[in-house]
Amino acid sequence: MARASLLRKFRLRIESEDPLYYGLKKLKIKGKDLQELPDVIFSLQELEVLDLSPERESCLDYKLYEVPRIIGRLVNIRVLMLDTNELKELPAEIALLQQLERLALSNNMLTSLPSGFQNLKNLKSLHAANNDFHEFPTQLVRLQNLEFLDLSDNHIKTLPKGIGKMTSLESLLLFINELTRLPESFCDLVELRCLWLGNNRIRQLPKSFGKLTKLDWGYRYTSSALNGNPMIHPPIEICRMGPEAIDRYMTSLGGSDSKSPTNNSKKSPIYKPPTNKSPTNKSPSNVSNKSSSTVSKGSKGGAVNGY
């Protein structure tokens, strides 16, 4: 098929009435077109949403094995869906998508993010669950507009001290990793409302964890929040009561707090919660950012909305 005819074919597929992205020019690529991605797609510079994710089981035979470098031509793209493919790396040219606000990378085989990724200054939502990250991508700490981050179901062992710079984060999903501790700078993420740390190896929360006063643990605690960790300080029962209870517990530890608690450490102080205090009529914050879609297709963790 001549290039002009092929270009016309894909241009006719562009829609603008998807309820999730109403008014935005969206193109969904599927089937054989996904496996053998036509170059002409990257000439459609009017595109604002590009969906390159297989949707149904019948389509899973056709997947994307690499992202063409010419993706950098799509300078008006605001949403890019690349989840549930067979991607092992991303081209550096993805950093040229300066209008990008939402990027879905879950259910691939990524081990790192490309250099220059920190230049995506408008990125608000990143879904990268169920990949093969063994380290927290350090480029992310420079994305100060990021509000939603899902790195669950990876192999991350530590978090950088610089994570405290991500002060716009409202939702952070890190469950099913190999974390053993959180840095004290983690407590600078004071806008956090949704935090999932379940199924890691965490034994102690940072001393200043009570600063995270917007956290929804006190009235909407889920098993994904912290269950599955060998918690000592505070005990899991205290954590389920929310940041205020955690803060009171940590204060009660005083000088006996140990940075690396062991099974032979002193017994935790007896903590008695207030008897006549019940949660006020707080309205749980919505974890989604302005519009909603699922975190990832097929992610082993629970579903959370995020723009």
Side-chain angles (χ1 to χ4, degrees):
M1 188 182 294
R3 180 180 175 84
S5 299
L6 200 55
L7 192 60
R8 192 179 307 114
K9 168 191 168 183
F10 285 108
R11 188 160 271 142
L12 288 172
R13 289 189 190 176
I14 296 175
E15 58 172 318
S16 59
E17 296 185 359
D18 186 314
L20 288 178
Y21 311 107
Y22 192 80
L24 299 182
K25 296 180 176 67
K26 177 189 173 185
L27 178 63
K28 166 74 177 174
I29 303 296
K30 55 188 177 181
K32 291 183 179 179
D33 286 335
L34 188 60
Q35 195 168 35
E36 300 173 4
L37 210 55
D39 287 353
V40 294
I41 291 170
F42 303 101
S43 299
L44 301 170
Q45 294 194 1
E46 66 267 34
L47 283 181
E48 295 170 286
V49 180
L50 179 59
D51 189 345
L52 299 176
S53 303
E55 253 180 2
R56 300 177 298 276
E57 289 187 12
S58 59
C59 298
L60 293 181
D61 289 336
Y62 303 108
K63 291 187 176 183
L64 198 61
Y65 288 85
E66 62 178 0
V67 178
R69 296 176 62 182
I70 53 176
I71 196 168
R73 296 177 183 175
L74 298 177
V75 293
N76 292 307
I77 281 288
R78 294 171 59 184
V79 179
L80 179 59
M81 312 288 285
L82 292 168
D83 49 297
T84 320
N85 282 293
E86 300 287 335
L87 301 176
K88 294 183 178 180
E89 61 180 2
L90 298 174
E93 285 76 10
I94 206 164
L96 299 175
L97 308 179
Q98 294 293 300
Q99 301 304 313
L100 196 62
E101 296 178 17
R102 183 180 190 273
L103 177 59
L105 300 172
S106 295
N107 308 317
N108 279 287
M109 297 181 286
L110 299 171
T111 58
S112 63
L113 296 177
S115 60
F117 195 88
Q118 66 273 13
N119 295 325
L120 298 175
K121 301 299 185 183
N122 286 313
L123 195 64
K124 294 181 180 179
S125 177
L126 175 61
H127 304 246
N130 193 21
N131 274 280
D132 198 24
F133 291 101
H134 284 252
E135 297 180 352
F136 186 96
T138 54
Q139 300 100 315
L140 299 183
V141 303
R142 297 174 63 182
L143 296 178
Q144 296 185 12
N145 288 317
L146 199 64
E147 298 174 358
F148 181 99
L149 174 60
D150 183 4
L151 281 169
S152 56
D153 206 352
N154 279 284
H155 308 280
I156 298 170
K157 296 177 174 62
T158 60
L159 299 178
K161 291 181 180 179
I163 195 170
K165 298 176 182 178
M166 303 176 72
T167 51
S168 294
L169 271 181
E170 297 179 6
S171 298
L172 177 57
L173 311 186
L174 292 168
F175 65 103
I176 315 178
N177 273 285
E178 299 172 22
L179 295 171
T180 57
R181 60 181 297 273
L182 304 177
E184 192 64 32
S185 59
F186 190 89
C187 304
D188 293 331
L189 304 178
V190 293
E191 294 300 320
L192 273 183
R193 289 166 170 76
C194 176
L195 174 61
W196 287 5
L197 296 170
N199 291 90
N200 278 279
R201 301 172 186 175
I202 299 169
R203 307 180 74 184
Q204 178 172 336
L205 295 179
K207 293 178 183 178
S208 302
F209 195 86
K211 287 168 58 178
L212 305 182
T213 56
K214 295 183 180 180
L215 212 56
D216 63 3
W217 287 9
Y219 53 89
R220 201 168 67 176
Y221 184 91
T222 71
S223 59
S224 298
L226 203 58
N227 287 17
N229 286 283
M231 287 299 302
I232 295 178
H233 295 315
I236 192 70
E237 295 79 12
I238 302 297
C239 296
R240 289 172 181 158
M241 296 170 65
E244 288 185 10
I246 293 171
D247 188 49
R248 287 193 294 268
Y249 175 89
M250 290 303 212
T251 301
S252 73
L253 282 181
S256 65
D257 186 23
S258 170
K259 291 184 179 178
S260 301
T262 65
N263 290 332
N264 296 323
S265 61
K266 294 180 181 180
K267 289 184 178 180
S268 301
I270 297 174
Y271 174 79
K272 294 182 180 180
T275 53
N276 296 321
K277 196 169 182 179
S278 59
T280 54
N281 294 327
K282 295 180 181 178
S283 299
S285 302
N286 192 340
V287 241
S288 61
N289 302 327
K290 298 177 185 174
S291 65
S292 62
S293 64
T294 54
V295 171
S296 58
K297 304 182 181 81
S299 175
K300 296 177 185 175
V304 167
N305 290 334
Y307 173 69

